[in-house]
Amino acid sequence: MAINLQKGQRVNVGLSKVAVGLGWEPAVTGKEADLDASVFMIGKNGKLPEDEFFVFYNNLQSPDGAVQHTGDVQSASGDDDGEDEETLMVDLDKVDARVEELIFVVTIHDASKAGQNFGQVKDAYIRVIDQGTGSEMMKYELSEDFSVETAVTIGRFYRREKEWRFEAMGMGNRGGLGEYLGIYN
């Protein structure tokens, strides 16, 4: 049975091969946002060990082969079918030793140009799936109203001793992807 996470809740992962699905629906009919899922693979110093450890629509795989983005979806299906809009395949056993955490963010592509924010997105979530069985292990649904934010840190995997844990985060920012690049690069 899947665990429904609350903001700030932390859970042992217990597996090495997981899929991380992200989903959302447009809140305003006819005004779809192009949301993008990205992963920042962060070292002890709080930075990317190398630029290629930023996995997103233009860099679909980390250099260690631990994270693979399955591709950019430019609009939500809008049919509330419960299927993920974007998926990242993760093999925690392959994560480079320099990496201490994997931070999952969702940003609105060209948000300022399009005049969009997360207030125009509903039912956003992140879920962790066992790659072996396809069963959902845990899910975090964003419940906050991010009416001015253009990006959200939705969750992270982090090492605790020799085990991986997952934390539901739900922290928004107004600076979009550029702000994250300034923090982690």
Side-chain angles (χ1 to χ4, degrees), residues 63-92:
D64 56 10
V67 178
Q68 181 177 350
H69 195 302
T70 60
D72 185 26
V73 174
Q74 296 189 346
S75 64
S77 60
D79 58 9
D80 227 357
D81 58 7
E83 290 189 25
D84 302 329
E85 304 305 334
E86 292 193 11
T87 304
L88 296 122
M89 308 306 280
V90 179
D91 186 340
L92 295 168

Side-chain angles (χ1 to χ4, degrees), residues 23 35 75 77 82 85 90 107-108 115 120 154 157 159 175 177 181:
L35 274 64
S75 64
S77 60
E85 304 305 334
V90 179
T107 57
I108 300 174
Q120 297 162 332
I154 197 160
F157 287 111
R159 292 186 207 249
L177 194 55
L181 289 169

Side-chain angles (χ1 to χ4, degrees), residues 2-104:
I3 300 169
N4 288 319
L5 300 171
Q6 301 299 314
K7 183 176 181 173
Q9 187 174 355
R10 299 170 186 207
V11 179
N12 281 335
V13 177
L15 293 174
S16 64
K17 291 186 177 184
V18 295
V20 178
L22 297 110
W24 59 86
E25 298 296 331
V28 180
T29 305
K31 189 161 184 168
E32 289 199 20
D34 176 7
L35 274 64
D36 296 314
S38 303
V39 180
F40 290 89
M41 299 176 74
I42 305 301
K44 287 182 183 181
N45 65 353
K47 304 287 183 186
L48 297 167
E50 299 172 28
D51 289 347
E52 293 78 20
F53 283 94
F54 168 44
V55 180
F56 68 116
Y57 58 85
N58 277 336
N59 178 37
L60 296 177
Q61 185 168 318
S62 62
D64 56 10
V67 178
Q68 181 177 350
H69 195 302
T70 60
D72 185 26
V73 174
Q74 296 189 346
S75 64
S77 60
D79 58 9
D80 227 357
D81 58 7
E83 290 189 25
D84 302 329
E85 304 305 334
E86 292 193 11
T87 304
L88 296 122
M89 308 306 280
V90 179
D91 186 340
L92 295 168
D93 286 344
K94 288 185 176 180
V95 174
D96 188 290
R98 298 174 290 172
V99 173
E100 293 292 316
E101 61 184 308
L102 284 69
I103 300 173
F104 293 82

